[in-house]
Amino acid sequence: MPQAAVKLNLVENLRVTGDDPQAIRKKVAELVSSGELKLKDIEKATGFKTSTVSQVLSGKYQADDATVLDAIARFYRYWVARHTIVRTRTVDEIEAVIELTWKRKEIGMVVGRFGRGKSEAALLYVAQHPDYARFIELSGASSPMELLNKIAESLDINDQISGPAANRLAAIIRHLQRNPMLLIVDEADELKPKSLKLLRDIHGDNQERCAIVLIASDRLLRLLQNDDLGYLRSRIPIKRRIGDIDIGEAKQIADRFPHDLDKAEIKQAWDWSVKHDGIRSFVNLFKRAYDIMQMKDLGEIDSDCLKEAYSWLID
């Protein structure tokens, strides 16, 4: 089984309800071992040093570990309610596009409606392949200079670039010639045609200095019809359109949260989410239901929690 699948399965099988401190110790240790969790994140949240946390997780802590375990358990419950990536068809498809694009050193493209989990799946891939994968979050950057600066930042070569765009482009290309990388550009449909053309220059066709994956909405398909982008359009041989997950996969996400909801209630929640922003709306709905559950001091999300959660989200 691929490393990514192993890690995702660890996350997918997590469950909060009924977990005792020893069970949580084991699960957190698995998450740390798989790379999904970092000791420094637990230290930041609990106040206990990484060395102490490591000893408690391995069962080698010499003193009474009840207090530390309680803090780890509280962190775990906070974490599990906010990390909802599971092994779904969408994740598999995006991973396949990214892997193939990287192996072939091509330009690939993943398109789909907002809220379908494209960015989250890509971020997870980057987190699991830090040696060669870089995630470029545009955040309003659309001009050629802004794009070049974002790429340089992702490659950690800010101190090596300066001057006009041509100089910055040359510095990025030199770096990639020495260190072939995978660049995942999120919200690529926000780029202007001149910026998109730069990606072709950075890729360099058959020079195998990098691979580029464009994550975008269907708007990118319309942008690529621009006459100036014909050459780039012809150089994107790997393309995939991402749709919605099915109700079975939605149930997997719901089961990440402690609940006693029946199949009909989960299906109703998923039907509502499909009409809004898909997976994103579904996850947000359950996050709010989880918050309401905690405010009511309940052990599980019940029907009333879910009903109230709808009112917390703008329709």
Side-chain angles (χ1 to χ4, degrees):
M1 182 180 291
Q3 182 185 33
V6 173
K7 293 182 177 181
L8 281 170
N9 284 339
L10 280 172
V11 179
E12 182 179 358
N13 292 330
L14 293 180
R15 201 49 203 264
V16 177
T17 305
D19 281 343
D20 60 35
Q22 296 307 320
I24 290 178
R25 182 213 302 266
K26 180 180 178 181
K27 290 182 177 179
V28 173
E30 289 174 343
L31 288 165
V32 170
S33 177
S34 72
E36 292 291 339
L37 275 177
K38 298 185 184 301
L39 289 174
K40 65 179 181 181
D41 293 332
I42 302 176
E43 177 186 72
K44 183 178 180 180
T46 64
F48 290 100
K49 297 293 185 182
T50 56
S51 57
T52 300
V53 173
S54 178
Q55 290 175 23
V56 169
L57 293 179
S58 64
K60 298 178 180 179
Y61 192 60
Q62 299 299 317
D64 183 5
D65 62 5
T67 302
V68 185
L69 269 178
D70 179 65
I72 292 175
R74 282 186 279 109
F75 166 78
Y76 166 81
R77 291 187 174 94
Y78 171 90
W79 183 89
V80 77
R82 287 159 176 77
H83 293 74
T84 50
I85 286 288
V86 298
R87 173 60 66 175
T88 65
R89 183 181 65 255
T90 296
V91 173
D92 286 338
E93 290 176 354
I94 293 174
E95 182 181 280
V97 170
I98 294 174
E99 284 283 352
L100 184 59
T101 303
W102 169 242
K103 289 178 180 178
R104 297 286 185 265
K105 299 298 187 295
E106 299 275 15
I107 300 178
M109 182 169 66
V110 176
V111 298
R113 293 171 59 196
F114 294 110
R116 267 55 193 175
K118 303 185 301 296
S119 300
E120 289 78 4
L123 274 168
L124 182 61
Y125 184 93
V126 171
Q128 293 171 340
H129 300 86
D131 50 330
Y132 64 83
R134 297 292 181 269
F135 188 82
I136 300 164
E137 189 174 13
L138 296 178
S139 299
S142 59
S143 72
M145 185 68 81
E146 290 170 330
L147 174 62
L148 291 172
N149 289 340
K150 287 285 185 177
I151 293 174
E153 181 182 347
S154 74
L155 297 174
D156 197 23
I157 58 170
N158 281 340
D159 58 341
Q160 300 175 33
I161 66 169
S162 60
N167 291 1
R168 294 167 189 258
L169 174 61
I172 289 171
I173 290 174
R174 285 196 301 271
H175 179 81
L176 292 173
Q177 286 172 333
R178 296 190 299 267
N179 307 281
M181 303 289 284
L182 165 65
L183 306 178
I184 301 179
V185 183
D186 193 33
E187 298 184 5
D189 51 308
E190 294 295 324
L191 292 172
K192 297 177 181 177
K194 286 185 178 180
S195 302
L196 283 167
K197 287 175 67 176
L198 273 180
L199 295 176
R200 182 198 69 191
D201 298 330
I202 291 170
H203 179 251
D205 290 335
N206 298 320
Q207 299 184 39
E208 296 195 351
R209 58 178 171 239
C210 72
I212 299 176
V213 175
L214 307 176
I215 306 291
S217 70
D218 288 344
R219 181 173 179 269
L220 179 61
L221 299 176
R222 297 191 293 273
L223 278 173
L224 289 173
Q225 297 307 309
N226 185 297
D227 291 340
D228 293 337
L229 297 176
Y231 189 83
L232 173 63
R233 185 171 63 248
S234 69
R235 293 298 188 273
I236 305 178
I238 303 173
K239 304 173 184 177
R240 192 77 178 216
R241 183 187 296 277
I242 299 301
D244 286 311
I245 64 174
D246 58 35
I247 183 59
E249 293 170 322
K251 186 178 183 303
Q252 287 183 345
I253 293 175
D255 287 347
R256 289 289 310 283
F257 299 85
H259 73 83
D260 65 357
L261 304 170
D262 59 30
K263 292 181 180 179
E265 289 171 313
I266 294 175
K267 185 179 186 306
Q268 182 181 26
W270 177 238
D271 290 341
W272 174 87
S273 301
V274 169
K275 295 176 183 177
H276 292 75
D277 290 322
I279 298 173
R280 184 175 301 164
S281 292
F282 190 76
V283 170
N284 285 338
L285 179 63
F286 271 81
K287 284 182 178 179
R288 298 295 75 78
Y290 184 83
D291 291 337
I292 294 165
M293 178 203 81
Q294 290 185 310
M295 286 189 288
K296 292 184 176 181
D297 198 24
L298 300 175
E300 294 180 319
I301 296 171
D302 61 16
S303 298
D304 290 337
C305 292
L306 186 62
K307 289 176 183 177
E308 190 172 340
Y310 284 107
S311 67
W312 282 50
L313 301 174
I314 298 175
D315 195 348

